[in-house]
């Protein structure tokens, strides 16, 4: 993962190119995301509240995530039917495998879905993005326990 100083400078440059600026709120949300694979807006609101600064309302966290997603710094993924989870863009390029039994979230390279994406494209012309959602099933441990 990029060093925080480098990430902050990069994000600041991207924001300025779009006529936006690096605010304290944006910096705090980025810091709360750094080092974490996936966090919901609620988890980010709680993390920001514990960083020593003034608490941010959830609406500010949501608006900040939207702005950061627009410039390509943050992406969201739907791991279940609840709130989306967010992660820094440099934590991208993987598929999410969610165990329906224990809730474990595993990550595998997006290239594992290559033939699936190619088949969909060949048949329909549609270019699927499998990194945006999760594939549900059972992890190896739960599968083994249920098979025994």
């Amino acid at each position: 993962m990029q060093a925080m100083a480098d990430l902050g400078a990069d994000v600041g440059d991207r924001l300025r190119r779009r006529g936006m600026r690096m605010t304290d709120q944006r910096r705090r949300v980025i810091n709360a995301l750094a080092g974490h694979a996936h966090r919901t807006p609620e988890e980010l609101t709680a993390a920001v509240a514990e960083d020593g600064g003034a608490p941010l309302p959830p609406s500010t966290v949501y608006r900040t995530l939207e702005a950061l997603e627009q410039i390509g710094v943050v992406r969201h993924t739907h791991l279940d039917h609840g709130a989306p989870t967010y992660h820094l863009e440099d934590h991208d390029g993987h598929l999410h495998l969610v165990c329906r039994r224990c809730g474990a979230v595993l990550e595998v390279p997006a290239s594992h879905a290559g033939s699936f994406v190619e088949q969909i494209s060949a048949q329909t012309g549609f270019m699927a993005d499998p990194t945006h959602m999760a594939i549900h099933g059972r992890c190896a441990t739960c599968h083994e326990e249920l098979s025994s």
Side-chain angles (χ1 to χ4, degrees), residues 7-128:
L7 181 61
D10 177 53
V11 174
D13 289 343
R14 288 187 194 187
L15 287 165
R16 280 188 289 284
R17 284 194 299 269
R18 293 209 174 201
M20 303 162 80
R21 59 190 181 89
M22 176 63 91
T23 63
D24 183 53
Q25 292 91 341
R26 291 175 181 153
R27 188 177 331 280
R28 291 172 67 197
V29 169
I30 290 167
N31 288 339
L33 278 171
H36 296 276
H38 305 98
R39 281 191 152 175
T40 66
E42 292 77 19
E43 291 167 337
L44 286 166
T45 300
V48 168
E50 296 174 2
D51 72 1
L56 297 178
S59 60
T60 299
V61 173
Y62 274 99
R63 280 193 309 275
T64 300
L65 288 168
E66 287 176 15
L68 294 172
E69 193 164 25
Q70 282 180 350
I71 64 168
V73 173
V74 169
R75 288 191 61 154
H76 75 274
T77 301
H78 298 273
L79 296 179
D80 57 24
H81 297 293
T85 62
Y86 290 80
H87 55 86
L88 294 174
E89 179 67 28
D90 66 350
H91 179 72
D92 200 27
H94 58 270
L95 303 174
H96 303 91
L97 310 176
V98 179
C99 180
R100 284 194 169 129
R101 186 164 183 245
C102 72
V105 178
L106 306 167
E107 297 175 357
V108 297
S111 60
H112 288 7
S115 62
F116 169 74
V117 171
E118 288 172 10
Q119 287 177 2
I120 297 275
S121 178
Q123 291 178 9
T124 67
F126 184 83
M127 293 304 300

Side-chain angles (χ1 to χ4, degrees), residues 2 4 9 22 36 88 93 96 113-114 138 144 148:
Q2 252 180 320
M4 272 316 296
M22 176 63 91
H36 296 276
L88 294 174
H96 303 91
R138 284 193 299 245
E144 186 176 306
S148 304

